[in-house]
Amino acid sequence: MFSPPAPAAGDGPVCSRKGCRNGAEWQLLWNNPRIHTPERRKAWASCPDHVAWFEEYLRDRGLWRQTLPLTADRPLETR
C-alpha cells in the first residue's frame, strides 16, 4: 500500500481529514452557532479529494458557512 510522504515543515497547510497528508487547496469556514458568535469563523483545510466530504459533513450539522480557495493571497483564515 502506497502512503505519500508527510509534507516537510513549511510546505504549507495539509488536509484536515483524518489520515490525509495531501496539501490543502481549499478552506472550509464554519462556526457552531451554539458556542460561537455569528462573526466567528473556524477553518478546516482540505485537499481536492476531501472538500466535498467536509462540505457535506458541515452542511448536515448546520455549521458550514463558506468554502474558499486556499491561495497565497487568501491564506487559511483563523478568526
Side-chain angles (χ1 to χ4, degrees):
M1 179 177 190
F2 173 76
S3 181
D11 279 353
V14 295
C15 184
S16 298
R17 180 79 163 111
K18 184 177 179 179
C20 184
R21 301 302 300 158
N22 294 332
E25 295 181 25
W26 295 95
Q27 57 182 318
L28 294 100
L29 305 180
W30 62 278
N31 85 351
N32 184 337
R34 293 187 306 182
I35 60 174
H36 299 130
T37 59
E39 66 280 352
R40 173 98 189 259
R41 294 292 181 267
K42 303 286 281 178
W44 281 341
S46 180
C47 69
D49 293 341
H50 294 118
V51 70
W53 184 91
F54 278 120
E55 277 195 12
E56 182 178 338
Y57 179 91
L58 293 167
R59 284 178 192 267
D60 285 351
R61 289 157 179 79
L63 306 175
W64 180 86
R65 298 296 173 256
Q66 192 173 19
T67 300
L68 300 170
L70 188 55
T71 59
D73 64 325
R74 184 177 282 154
L76 192 62
E77 294 195 18
T78 56
R79 335 180 232 161

